[in-house]
Amino acid sequence: MLTARSDFRAFWRDTLGELDETPINLDSQRLGRAPYAGLSASRLAFTSLGNVRLQGYSIRWSDDRPRPVVVHAHGYGGRAAMQWLWARSGLNVVGFDVRGHGESFRAVPDQSPWGYMLTGIEDPDGHVLQGAVSDYARASQVAAVLFEGRVRRTVFHGYSFSAALALMTEATRPAADLLVLGVPTFGWHEGRHRLVRSGSAVETRAYINARPDRTEAVMRTLSYFDSMNFAPLIRCPVIAGFGRRDEVVPPETVLAVLGHLRCPSETMSFPVSHTDEPEEAAWEHFDAIWIDAALYGLPPDFGDAAEIQRIEFDRHR
C-alpha cells in the first residue's frame, strides 16, 4: 500500500523548483589520452541543490553522430566507476558521485553518526535523499548540456542506491527514454526494516531501536523517499532486475516497487544480488539486454509479457 503524504507532489515540485534556480556552473576538464580509439573522457564539476559542488565524469565519442547517452551514479557508500565498456558499446556516458559519496563526500559535511540515511531524518525538507535525488536530476541536465544536439536516446541507469535515485528522478522530472533499474532500494520502508540484514535499513533500524519515540517522525520523513510511492508516476519504459536472494535489498521490497509501475516494463530475476558469489555473473545478461535496448530501441511487443523472466547462472559458461 502506498504511503505518499498529501503534499508529496508539492514537496517535490518545490524541491526541483529550487534546483532550477540553482545555476549549474558546469566545469569540464579533459583527461589524458583515452585508452580506446575514438573516445575521450573529461572530469566534471557542477552545482546541485543547496549550492553544493559535485564531481563526475563523461565519456564521449569524438564523432558528431547522435548516440544514446546514459546517466548513472553508484551504490550506497560507493563512487561512480568510469564505464568504458558501455562507451565502447556505442554510448556516451555521464557518471557522478552523489553528495556525501566518493569525490562529492564534502558536499555533506555533517553526516549523522547513525549513518548517511539518518542525516536530516527529522524533516523531509533537508533530508539527505532530497539532495541526492536532486543530484541525479542535475546530472541529467548536465548530460543534456554536454551532448546537446547529439542525443538519440536518454537512459537513466541505476543499481541499488542509484536505481532508487534514477526512479525518483524520472518520476518527478521526466527526461529518460529508458529507465534501467537493478535492484532498486528504498522501497516499502516498513518491510525493509523487518527484512534487511545489511545496508541502509540497518542504520535506520538501529536509530529507531535507540529512539523509539522518533519512529513516527522517521517513517513520515522516509515516506517522501519511498521508491514505491514514485513508481506509479513513471511513464517511460522500464527494464528491471532483482536477486532472488539478497540481504541488502530483499526481493519482496523490489517487487513492492515494481508492482506499482503503470508503464511498459519487463523484469528479470537473478539467483543473487549484493553478494560476492559466482552467480552474480548472471547479471551480465541484464547488461546485455539494456545496452541493446539503448542502442537499438525496444521491440514492438516490449512489456506484453506479464511474467518475470527467470535467469539462471550457467556454471559451464
Side-chain angles (χ1 to χ4, degrees):
M1 183 170 130
L2 298 179
T3 60
R5 308 287 168 146
S6 60
D7 64 341
F8 178 81
R9 294 201 187 198
F11 171 82
W12 283 106
R13 183 177 63 247
D14 293 345
T15 295
L16 295 175
E18 183 180 345
L19 177 67
D20 289 340
E21 294 175 358
T22 305
I24 293 179
N25 293 328
L26 174 62
D27 179 54
S28 177
Q29 300 292 329
R30 184 164 176 170
L31 298 176
R33 184 175 179 180
Y36 304 104
L39 294 172
S40 64
S42 296
R43 181 61 56 193
L44 307 177
F46 52 92
T47 303
S48 185
L49 188 73
N51 290 308
V52 305
R53 291 294 280 175
L54 303 180
Q55 305 295 317
Y57 79 93
S58 67
I59 303 175
R60 67 166 66 215
W61 283 84
S62 55
D63 57 30
D64 291 328
R65 174 181 163 192
R67 295 176 180 271
V69 59
V70 56
V71 179
H72 79 100
H74 49 78
Y76 191 76
R79 63 196 310 161
M82 296 187 74
Q83 298 293 339
W84 289 105
L85 176 61
W86 299 354
R88 291 180 66 198
S89 299
L91 307 175
N92 290 320
V93 184
V94 170
F96 73 102
D97 290 343
V98 179
R99 65 182 62 204
H101 293 76
E103 294 186 18
S104 302
F105 182 82
R106 290 185 179 86
V108 184
D110 54 350
Q111 287 194 34
S112 169
W114 292 93
Y116 182 85
M117 271 291 288
L118 281 302
T119 305
I121 195 62
E122 300 297 329
D123 192 332
D125 190 10
H127 186 264
V128 71
L129 289 187
Q130 181 189 34
V133 175
S134 300
D135 295 346
Y136 202 110
R138 179 44 51 97
S140 73
Q141 294 173 329
V142 166
V145 170
L146 288 174
F147 298 104
E148 184 177 7
R150 299 172 56 191
V151 178
R152 193 171 87 236
R153 189 174 291 113
T154 298
V155 180
F156 286 1
H157 176 282
Y159 186 89
S160 191
F161 175 56
S162 58
L165 302 184
L167 185 152
M168 295 179 195
T169 299
E170 177 59 22
T172 54
R173 181 57 62 85
D177 300 295
L178 175 65
L179 184 58
V180 179
L181 304 175
V183 284
T185 190
F186 303 144
W188 186 34
H189 281 291
E190 290 80 359
R192 291 182 75 234
H193 295 155
R194 290 188 288 101
L195 298 167
V196 169
R197 297 292 175 264
S198 179
S200 62
V202 174
E203 298 172 354
T204 307
R205 188 165 62 225
Y207 180 84
I208 289 176
N209 288 342
R211 301 191 61 183
D213 60 306
R214 304 308 298 158
T215 300
E216 184 177 348
V218 168
M219 299 312 294
R220 178 183 182 277
T221 293
L222 291 180
S223 71
Y224 291 86
F225 312 103
D226 190 323
S227 300
M228 188 173 63
N229 293 331
F230 293 81
L233 305 178
I234 303 296
R235 294 294 176 263
C236 75
V238 173
I239 294 176
F242 66 91
R244 295 188 290 275
R245 178 164 55 82
D246 189 326
E247 293 188 349
V248 178
V249 185
E252 297 90 339
T253 67
V254 177
L255 292 173
V257 175
L258 302 182
H260 285 93
L261 290 173
R262 301 292 179 264
C263 58
S265 65
E266 291 190 358
T267 300
M268 290 162 268
S269 76
F270 298 88
V272 295
S273 49
H274 287 104
T275 75
D276 294 324
E277 299 175 20
E279 287 82 356
E280 291 282 351
W283 280 88
E284 293 175 6
H285 182 77
F286 184 74
D287 290 338
I289 292 292
W290 78 257
I291 290 173
D292 186 77
L295 290 170
Y296 307 112
L298 296 165
D301 61 349
F302 178 83
D304 287 353
E307 69 275 5
I308 296 172
Q309 183 182 0
R310 184 182 176 100
I311 308 297
E312 301 294 351
F313 173 62
D314 181 3
R315 295 186 179 276
H316 304 288
R317 56 194 299 277

